[in-house]
């Protein structure tokens, strides 16, 4: 242990452990920040509805649709999104994030693609994204026929003239007008909140999702190349409808998908959304899903994951597949109260994370988890790297069987804790960083790297 490490030894008696276990994790109202409560309350159903109606008015936002009209097609749509976000606050730096994409796969001709992004600079360059995709697609039979295995033979056929704009009707109000409207509304409430965030926030409308997560992948690749520190991505795709096509209605929950393994940063981010979204919006239940996405479906968060970034995907509680990738994906399929609740969960989670210090690193310089059994040989001895701006840390643990943290304990401004007689092989441990006002990062868990393949030599080899 380095000489500078500050240690705290905690005498955890069996009785205290028991008490900690009985304490409900979601009932610590004292942790709430009134400024975040106010920001969450600023989410407007009316504004979300107006944005969706405007997005619908472009008829299509297909990435291969017209760019010359001032009122129809993707060119008009992206300019409107740009101007709308720009109007919210001089603090927002709005830009097109532009790429020249060559003909490939579902892209039938070379095309210029533009993400629309609004940056709200924070005190540090680390970035937190709230995103949706503004492009749309509609096919004969839509997703409903595709799911039922009854898609007509020509549904995915290439257009007769690959160079002509693809201007067939594709309103995409829920897929993904809903996520786009949510991201735009977040740009408004964050930039007008008056809060000085530590992290830089980015409100992003991605392009080219329907052709294979292209806008998200290109942006993530650019971030890798330019060493832009993306800490977390909250991607929203199909989050505005609460009526399943099978008649089941659920307006009180939202699903959050994250790639594994179970203590990956993306999974930790999903738990964070459940914890902090649940505290600020207790009327809405966050349901984390231990998988990257739904079967056979994709979303932009996975493009960020592919390039090594932490990202989760928000998905509505019940889907109506007959209104996806279909001309029937119209405004009447939206529940504004439901979409607003999902926006509030995003707002609470992103604001908390953006005010907190970055999550601590828990590995030693060799990349091994900084957890030992010292000093007795039977203790849990946890070390982490001090997080800039942190004034305290919170330790979490659970039995090594189960998805949710069972215990937590706040410790001071130290970078080492010893929990006597806690068998490290039987628990998962993690640590989060706190600022002076109790804003908490997501948890970094102590995880062993995968065991390498060890070949055994035999005679004759
Ligand atoms: Zn989508």
């Amino acid at each position: 242990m380095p000489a500078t490490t500050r240690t705290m030894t905690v005498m955890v008696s069996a009785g205290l452990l028991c008490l900690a276990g009985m304490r409900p994790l979601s009932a610590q109202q004292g942790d709430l920040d009134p400024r975040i409560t106010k920001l969450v309350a600023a989410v407007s159903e009316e504004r979300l509805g107006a944005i969706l109606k405007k997005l619908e008015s472009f008829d299509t936002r297909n990435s291969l649709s017209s760019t010359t009209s001032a009122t129809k097609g993707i060119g008009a749509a992206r300019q409107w999104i740009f101007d709308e976000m720009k109007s919210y606050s001089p603090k927002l730096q709005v830009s097109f994030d532009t790429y020249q994409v060559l003909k490939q796969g579902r892209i039938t001709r070379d095309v210029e693609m533009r993400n629309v992004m609004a940056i709200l600079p924070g005190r540090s360059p680390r970035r937190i994204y709230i995103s949706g995709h503004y492009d749309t697609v509609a096919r004969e039979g839509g997703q409903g026929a595709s799911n039922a295995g009854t898609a007509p033979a020509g549904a995915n056929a290439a257009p007769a003239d690959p160079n002509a704009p693809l201007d067939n009707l594709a309103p995409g109000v829920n897929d993904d007008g809903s996520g786009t409207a949510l991201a735009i509304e977040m740009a408004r409430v964050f930039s007008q909140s008056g809060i000085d965030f530590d992290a830089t926030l980015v409100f992003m409308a991605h392009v080219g999702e329907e052709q294979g997560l292209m806008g998200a992948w290109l942006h993530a690749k650019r971030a890798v190349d330019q060493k832009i520190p993306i800490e977390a991505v909250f991607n929203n795709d199909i989050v505005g409808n609460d009526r399943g096509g099978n008649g089941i209605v659920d307006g009180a929950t939202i699903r959050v998908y994250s790639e594994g393994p179970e203590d990956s940063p993306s999974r930790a981010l999903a738990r964070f959304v459940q914890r902090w979204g649940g505290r600020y919006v207790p009327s809405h239940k966050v349901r984390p899903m231990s998988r990257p996405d739904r079967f056979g479906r994709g979303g932009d968060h996975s493009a960020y994951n592919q390039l090594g970034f932490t990202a989760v995907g928000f998905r509505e509680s019940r889907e109506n597949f007959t209104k996806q990738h279909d001309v029937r994906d119209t405004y009447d399929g939206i529940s504004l109260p439901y979409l607003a609740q999902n926006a509030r969960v995003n707002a609470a989670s992103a604001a908390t994370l953006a005010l907190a210090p970055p999550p601590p690193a828990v590995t030693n310089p060799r990349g091994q988890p900084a957890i030992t059994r010292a000093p007795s040989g039977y203790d849990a001895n946890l070390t982490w790297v001090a997080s800039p701006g942190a004034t305290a840390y919170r330790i979490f643990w659970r039995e090594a069987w189960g998805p949710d943290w069972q215990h937590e304990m706040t410790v001071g401004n130290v970078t080492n804790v010893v929990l006597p007689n806690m068998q490290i092989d039987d628990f998962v441990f993690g640590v989060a960083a706190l600022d002076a006002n109790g804003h908490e990062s997501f948890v970094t868990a102590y995880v062993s790297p995968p065991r390498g393949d060890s070949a055994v030599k035999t005679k004759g080899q």
Side-chain angles (χ1 to χ4, degrees), residues 7-11 416-420:
T7 300
M8 177 176 148
T9 299
V10 184
M11 301 310 294
N416 176 263
V417 158
V418 177
L419 304 173

Side-chain angles (χ1 to χ4, degrees), residues 133 135 174-176 209-210 236-238 294 297-300 315 325:
H133 71 86
D135 68 303
N174 195 23
D175 184 10
D176 181 29
E209 194 273 351
E210 301 290 4
N236 292 268
D237 191 355
I238 312 185
R294 303 100 83 228
R297 306 294 301 276
D300 284 332
R315 303 292 197 172
H325 304 161

Side-chain angles (χ1 to χ4, degrees), residues 277-292:
R279 286 181 178 182
Y280 282 98
V281 196
S283 56
H284 212 50
K285 185 179 177 190
V286 175
R287 295 158 58 206
M289 298 286 151
S290 296
R291 44 180 52 159

Side-chain angles (χ1 to χ4, degrees), residues 196-409:
D196 181 22
F197 292 98
D198 184 67
T200 292
L201 285 138
V202 180
F203 309 96
M204 177 69 109
H206 289 118
V207 69
E209 194 273 351
E210 301 290 4
Q211 284 80 19
L213 321 182
M214 289 184 156
W217 190 90
L218 288 164
H219 182 77
K221 180 71 170 56
R222 188 168 273 178
V224 170
D225 294 344
Q226 298 181 357
K227 297 190 167 43
I228 293 169
I230 300 178
E231 180 177 301
V233 178
F234 297 83
N235 186 53
N236 292 268
D237 191 355
I238 312 185
V239 289
N241 157 65
D242 59 2
R243 290 173 181 272
N246 57 0
I248 298 174
V249 179
D250 173 7
T253 78
I254 177 74
R255 295 175 294 169
V256 179
Y257 286 85
S258 61
E259 68 165 10
E262 61 186 358
D263 282 292
S264 70
S266 295
R267 192 64 48 79
L269 183 62
R271 289 191 191 99
F272 179 90
V273 172
Q274 182 186 37
R275 177 174 168 90
W276 289 100
R279 286 181 178 182
Y280 282 98
V281 196
S283 56
H284 212 50
K285 185 179 177 190
V286 175
R287 295 158 58 206
M289 298 286 151
S290 296
R291 44 180 52 159
D293 210 332
R294 303 100 83 228
F295 277 99
R297 306 294 301 276
D300 284 332
H301 61 291
S302 297
Y304 285 90
N305 291 155
Q306 267 178 34
L307 286 157
F309 294 114
T310 300
V312 296
F314 289 79
R315 303 292 197 172
E316 63 195 19
S317 59
R318 299 281 171 177
E319 294 180 74
N320 185 342
F321 300 116
T322 64
K323 285 176 174 281
Q324 295 176 9
H325 304 161
D326 194 287
V327 293
R328 290 169 287 183
D329 184 359
T330 49
Y331 185 80
D332 64 323
I334 295 288
S335 161
L336 288 180
Y338 179 64
L339 175 57
Q341 284 287 77
N342 294 335
R344 290 179 190 115
V345 169
N346 272 263
S349 310
T352 303
L353 197 58
L355 283 164
V362 300
T363 46
N364 63 24
R366 285 174 289 121
Q368 301 291 327
I371 182 168
T372 73
R373 300 179 180 84
S376 77
Y378 299 89
D379 305 323
N381 189 321
L382 316 177
T383 302
W384 56 91
V385 180
S387 200
T391 58
Y393 295 87
R394 191 165 283 151
I395 310 297
F396 293 80
W397 68 95
R398 66 176 194 266
E399 289 174 75
W401 180 258
D404 295 329
W405 297 116
Q406 295 167 310
H407 310 276
E408 61 181 271
M409 180 170 54

